[in-house]
Amino acid sequence: MSVVVVSTGGTIASTEDSGGDASPDLTGEDLVAAVPGLERVASIETRDFSNVPSAQFTVPQMGELARFLDELDDDPKVDGIVVTQGTDILEETAYFLDLCYEGDAPVVVTGAMRNPSLPSPDGPSNLTTSVRVATEERAAGQVLVGFNERVHAAREVTKINSTNVDTFRSPEFGPLAIVDESRVTWRREQLNPDPTFDVDHDALTNDVHAVIATADMPPAQVEAAADADALCLAATGAGHIPPTIIPALESLRADDVPIVATTRCPEGRLARETYGFRGSEATLQELDSYYSDLNLQKTRIRTIVALAADALDDAFDAPGDVT
Ligand code: ASP
């Protein structure tokens, strides 16, 4: 089996000279060379896509990466692809790829929390897990995250801890598979895999705002989206917002700025028919909000991709469908 490791930077590729100055500087080849025995899992080639901390990764780079992976998949010799990235926005890149990558070769995104200059770095183990998963027939056509011996759906996974190596979880539904020793044990399938969007890459924009509703929040946070391409709003609980922001949301609706709502709770979805008070889910519906069942950062990624594919109505439960 042949796997291509595409490196983009992050902690997994970072070294420190004097302690506390870690920054990405290792190549894909360096990452692979640091994992003895990886060549027994698959034959590996590497490609260096970028070498940046993930917080510097841009929406256009996500688009380029998706196209680069499609090109790799066109090569019949490529059985699987592993992408290494910083963990900070890894879930957003993985989900972007999930929505845009058209290939059959599995794509497994991974990284590390402890850089190679520290005792017990986790990059080598995460790379091994991910290469192994990328050779699995069962992973064909999917974009997954391999981390800490777990395999997650790109749609569901989220970073839950800022420093601990056990940081990626899939709230509510759990991982798809676990890797023990050299075995990948699958326990469930993605029942709701997302369709691939036909994206106009020139239309990809980062001008989609993401705001979390908080108690008695100032309307300026919503007003700032007046010229945006869309506003993604993580409402409290099952879809509730403070009345302070309702006039600002009404202005957005009047100006045709799409509002895409989700919940700020790590688990659960928006209600549709339980509450009717001012600022309840009934208000979200009066505001013609789209309904998302993703976390806020992935709601934003899906909005960006859907806008670039002119498919917002297909991407979420559209206002007319939310009752
Ligand atoms: N702490 C980050 C990481 O895990 C840095 C980054 O996302 O680039 O890689």
Side-chain angles (χ1 to χ4, degrees), residues 3 16 18-19 28 42 47 85 127 131 134 154 162 164 166 180 185 188 190 193 210 214 228 230 243 263 266 268 313:
V3 171
E16 299 182 32
S18 49
R47 302 281 190 282
Q85 187 172 49
L127 196 53
V131 168
S162 56
N164 198 288
D166 191 12
D180 311 288
T185 303
R188 68 181 180 94
Q190 299 197 57
T214 50
T263 172
D313 279 352

Side-chain angles (χ1 to χ4, degrees), residues 9-14 24 52-56 85-90 111-114 147 159 162:
T11 293
I12 192 169
S14 295
V52 293
S54 70
Q56 294 178 9
Q85 187 172 49
T87 56
D88 292 350
I89 62 115
L90 186 153
M113 294 298 283
R114 296 178 61 77
F147 214 93
K159 182 175 180 177
S162 56

